[in-house]
Amino acid sequence: MINHCKQTPGFLKNRTYLHSRLKARLIQMADRKELYYLILATLAVRLPWVFMVPMYEAPDENTHYFIIKYLADNLSLPGPTDLSSGGRASVYVPLPQFGYIPHVLSLWSLSWLFDPTIALRFGSLLLAPLMTFCAWWLGRQLFPQSKLCAIAVPLLVIFHAQLVLVHSYANNDVTSSTLATVLLCLTALLIKRGLNLKMSALIGVLCGWLMLTKYTGYAVLPAVAAGFILAAWINRSGIKQLAVCALSALGVTAAIAVPWFVRNYQLYNGDFMGTRSMRMHWALIYDKPLEYYVSPLQILFDRKWWRMMFFSYWGMFGYMNRPLPKALYWTYTVFWVLSVIGPIKVQYAIFKSKSTSIFSNFLNPKDAANLSINTTVAIWSTMFVCLIANLVAMNLASTGNVGGPQGRYLFTSEVPFLAAMVLGLNLLGPVWGKRLVVAFVVFNTFICFWSFIMLYQIYGFRTHTM
């Protein structure tokens, strides 16, 4: 007599559970495979540039090299004597030096295999996969409903020609921008999971390191502060918990960063940031005016400033003297304009229908009925805070000629800016939005290979950069 297995509710429940576990496992494996391919592409795209760009065509690499070599050889920080005796190469001596830690480590590790001028470049190269991972993870948080938009963010980062250049030579921009992107990830995680002391302390450690890398990275700090407030609001944490976590992060940051600024204050006659001493040394060497000031409003309405910043963000190589064909910059401009039109179109639709469901559905369909701020909106808010702070900081730095309209200074908000463009393009509609996102990714990838071919014809490959 054959016994037929009765499918009891318990059996069906177990089978459903096993099916869901298997499905989750398969998705996890697919996610890992996707990430591995992205990281492999990141390294494959950048590695040839390491052996291609000469030092005299890599912005300020000679000054970065001076600091890295000093740190590696002396295991101590340079001071005023080194500033005065180093000539042109020592301009960055008064500025924070801890953005060069990856380069010092790569110099120590790889000098037996490569020329020192090549070996230290791997410090920049090996930070690139970390930025790709952060872009990949943030893309999923920012676009939970769209696989296309989520994958577009890391693809844009991987094939961003100017970023590829920065990842291929020794500089502290790469450390600063990578730390800023990691902090955006941790801030998003804080918003999702709620406030806790361990995460707050880790954020404090990275903020402390960031403060000793490059000042352009400071634009992420307002976003981190906003993240603490939003995490407390969304997860309904008490004022006491918010204060304890925020003060723990602030205390760790201060413990790491303050001693360096005190040292600078003592060494450079009150110039605790070192920017005044740096600019004075630079102006004397290059015979530039010792005093310089331009109104922030004048810069804000300076069309040439914005054009230079925008064009050099996408790709302007050498010392801003090897541009791409102008038609390519204007194509980027068209994509940017369309990305601005997208949110305006949605806002008009909301105004016309008097309903917020359009935007709410786009950001988080599972929470469409909830008109209060949700997790995805909160994470987006930190992105925009970072982007706005970055632009304001660039404007203020230009007033004293401490930093000009160079696109790589916007890399602190690399992921927020690219994600905002993807968002704007996708908001142009279910049909044209997707097509424009794909077109943007394809065009940006094309520019990356165009740039490589253009520069290879000029530079070729080399085993040392000088």
Side-chain angles (χ1 to χ4, degrees):
M1 191 171 182
I2 300 174
N3 291 325
H4 295 280
C5 194
K6 295 181 179 181
Q7 296 192 357
T8 62
F11 175 82
L12 292 174
K13 186 177 180 180
N14 289 336
R15 191 172 69 173
T16 303
Y17 172 75
L18 291 172
H19 181 266
S20 63
R21 285 292 301 272
L22 178 61
K23 184 178 179 182
R25 182 64 176 170
L26 290 173
I27 292 173
Q28 187 180 37
M29 290 173 63
D31 289 346
R32 287 182 180 177
K33 191 175 181 180
E34 178 181 277
L35 180 59
Y36 294 154
Y37 282 136
L38 291 173
I39 290 176
L40 183 62
T42 301
L43 295 172
V45 168
R46 285 154 175 73
L47 185 60
W49 291 62
V50 171
F51 296 94
M52 179 177 68
V53 182
M55 184 178 289
Y56 59 84
E57 288 278 310
D60 300 330
E61 190 176 23
N62 62 319
T63 56
H64 297 303
Y65 179 77
F66 179 89
I67 305 294
I68 295 167
K69 196 73 168 58
Y70 186 96
L71 296 173
D73 292 344
N74 298 279
L75 290 178
S76 62
L77 302 179
T81 303
D82 305 293
L83 174 65
S84 58
S85 64
R88 295 186 177 188
S90 64
V91 170
Y92 287 167
V93 163
L95 302 182
Q97 299 95 2
F98 290 86
Y100 302 111
I101 291 176
H103 307 89
V104 172
L105 295 176
S106 67
L107 182 60
W108 283 342
S109 304
L110 299 174
S111 289
W112 64 274
L113 185 60
F114 301 106
D115 182 85
T117 60
I118 293 289
L120 51 79
R121 288 184 168 190
F122 281 85
S124 295
L125 177 67
L126 295 178
L127 285 174
L130 180 55
M131 180 172 278
T132 296
F133 170 77
C134 292
W136 175 78
W137 189 84
L138 280 171
R140 288 164 168 255
Q141 311 311 309
L142 296 170
F143 300 100
Q145 80 305 334
S146 174
K147 290 184 178 179
L148 173 63
C149 293
I151 196 64
V153 176
L155 287 175
L156 288 168
V157 168
I158 291 170
F159 295 102
H160 182 175
Q162 191 70 30
L163 183 64
V164 171
L165 172 66
V166 171
H167 280 148
S168 66
Y169 74 94
N171 61 84
N172 54 0
D173 295 273
V174 65
T175 315
S176 175
S177 58
T178 302
L179 284 173
T181 310
V182 173
L183 281 167
L184 288 173
C185 286
L186 293 178
T187 302
L189 206 58
L190 202 68
I191 291 171
K192 288 169 67 70
R193 295 182 180 179
L195 298 171
N196 67 81
L197 280 174
K198 287 184 179 179
M199 184 70 73
S200 300
L202 177 58
I203 289 174
V205 170
L206 295 180
C207 285
W209 186 11
L210 175 76
M211 293 189 72
L212 301 179
T213 58
K214 189 165 185 173
Y215 296 134
T216 52
Y218 285 23
V220 78
L221 298 179
V224 173
F228 272 86
I229 297 170
L230 290 168
W233 183 8
I234 290 175
N235 296 282
R236 297 176 181 176
S237 304
I239 297 295
K240 182 179 178 181
Q241 186 179 8
L242 173 60
V244 169
C245 291
L247 288 174
S248 67
L250 187 62
V252 174
T253 300
I256 294 172
V258 167
W260 184 89
F261 289 102
V262 172
R263 174 183 181 271
N264 246 34
Y265 182 87
Q266 294 170 344
L267 291 178
Y268 298 101
N269 300 317
D271 183 18
F272 69 97
M273 294 184 71
T275 51
R276 190 172 67 250
S277 302
M278 182 271 292
R279 195 192 179 281
M280 183 70 69
H281 184 70
W282 173 82
L284 290 171
I285 286 176
Y286 292 96
D287 195 26
K288 300 292 184 180
L290 297 180
E291 298 294 331
Y292 181 94
Y293 179 78
V294 178
S295 166
L297 286 177
Q298 184 177 338
I299 294 171
L300 183 63
F301 295 103
D302 186 349
R303 180 176 57 85
K304 291 182 179 179
W305 188 94
W306 287 100
R307 184 177 64 183
M308 175 60 74
M309 188 274 290
F310 187 75
F311 285 9
S312 64
Y313 171 80
W314 295 112
M316 193 171 287
F317 311 106
Y319 276 83
M320 315 283 273
N321 60 346
R322 298 197 184 279
L324 297 167
K326 282 189 177 180
L328 301 181
Y329 294 122
W330 291 115
T331 304
Y332 272 122
T333 305
V334 169
F335 278 115
W336 178 78
V337 170
L338 290 172
S339 73
V340 173
I341 292 174
I344 294 174
K345 178 184 174 183
V346 170
Q347 288 296 328
Y348 176 75
I350 290 173
F351 175 78
K352 192 174 180 181
S353 63
K354 297 181 180 180
S355 171
T356 60
S357 62
I358 298 172
F359 197 67
S360 187
N361 269 311
F362 177 82
L363 287 176
N364 197 344
K366 295 179 182 178
D367 200 25
N370 183 9
L371 300 183
S372 63
I373 187 167
N374 56 42
T375 301
T376 310
V377 175
I379 296 172
W380 269 109
S381 299
T382 62
M383 299 294 118
F384 285 115
V385 168
C386 180
L387 179 56
I388 293 168
N390 203 167
L391 291 171
V392 170
M394 290 178 67
N395 178 294
L396 295 176
S398 294
T399 61
N401 200 27
V402 176
Q406 300 186 43
R408 68 179 184 274
Y409 296 160
L410 194 59
F411 288 168
T412 299
S413 51
E414 171 75 354
V415 172
F417 180 67
L418 293 175
M421 286 191 65
V422 171
L423 172 65
L425 292 172
N426 198 43
L427 284 174
L428 286 169
V431 178
W432 280 106
K434 291 180 179 179
R435 291 176 179 175
L436 285 168
V437 169
V438 172
F440 182 37
V441 171
V442 171
F443 176 73
N444 186 66
T445 305
F446 165 75
I447 295 302
C448 183
F449 288 106
W450 176 297
S451 302
F452 172 77
I453 293 170
M454 180 186 78
L455 295 177
Y456 175 76
Q457 291 175 343
I458 300 170
Y459 305 142
F461 287 131
R462 59 195 64 241
T463 56
H464 59 87
T465 65
M466 289 185 175

